[in-house]
Each structure stands twice: as C-alpha cells, then as structure tokens.
Amino acid sequence: MSLRRAACFSLLIATVLAPTARAGTIGREQDIVDLKLGQRVLVDDGTCPAGQVKEVRGAKMTEKGVSRTSSCVPRHGPKSK
C-alpha cells in the first residue's frame, strides 16, 4: 500500500510543479493574459539594457486581481563549454 501512496504523492508533486517549470520569453508585456500570484514571466521587449531582460512578477492580490511589478534581470542564455 505504501508504494501506491508514494506513487500518488510523486504524481501530485509533478502536477503542481509542472506549470512553474516552464520558462519562456515572450515579446510583449500585453501578451501576458493570466498572471498568477508569484508567477514570473520574462519579456523581451527591448526596454532593458543589453544583456538583460524584463521580468514581470505577480506581486500581490488587489480587488482588481494580481498587481504586477517588473525589473530588469540578467539574461541567461545557453551555457557555453
């Protein structure tokens, strides 16, 4: 019975973490439709200096929904050997 419980628990963990594991860069901040609390989205719209990209975060809950904050963060490209 404990093997079944462990399998169900690992499936639950994988299901919860799957949406947060997806990392992508979008082109415009207006393309972010449903930003969740705590979610981070990278936006490459050219507003940040070279080598950086804008990170938009769901900061806090308000009466109108999730408020957003943004800042420029270092761009992490593919690792070189």
Side-chain angles (χ1 to χ4, degrees):
M1 191 68 154
S2 66
L3 180 60
R4 177 180 275 179
R5 186 175 287 165
C8 288
F9 184 68
S10 62
L11 180 63
L12 176 68
I13 296 292
T15 304
V16 169
L17 295 179
T20 59
R22 287 182 290 172
T25 304
I26 61 172
R28 299 180 319 164
E29 192 172 347
Q30 292 83 6
D31 294 340
I32 304 171
V33 186
D34 186 29
L35 188 66
K36 295 175 180 61
L37 188 64
Q39 182 180 6
R40 297 171 184 229
V41 179
L42 299 178
V43 179
D44 189 11
D45 59 359
T47 58
C48 291
Q52 294 185 346
V53 65
K54 184 192 296 183
E55 181 184 68
V56 179
R57 293 181 301 276
K60 64 180 181 175
M61 289 298 294
T62 64
E63 293 177 359
K64 296 180 180 179
V66 178
S67 67
R68 301 176 178 196
T69 60
S70 64
S71 61
C72 295
V73 296
R75 179 186 304 266
H76 296 292
K79 298 198 178 207
S80 59
K81 295 181 179 180

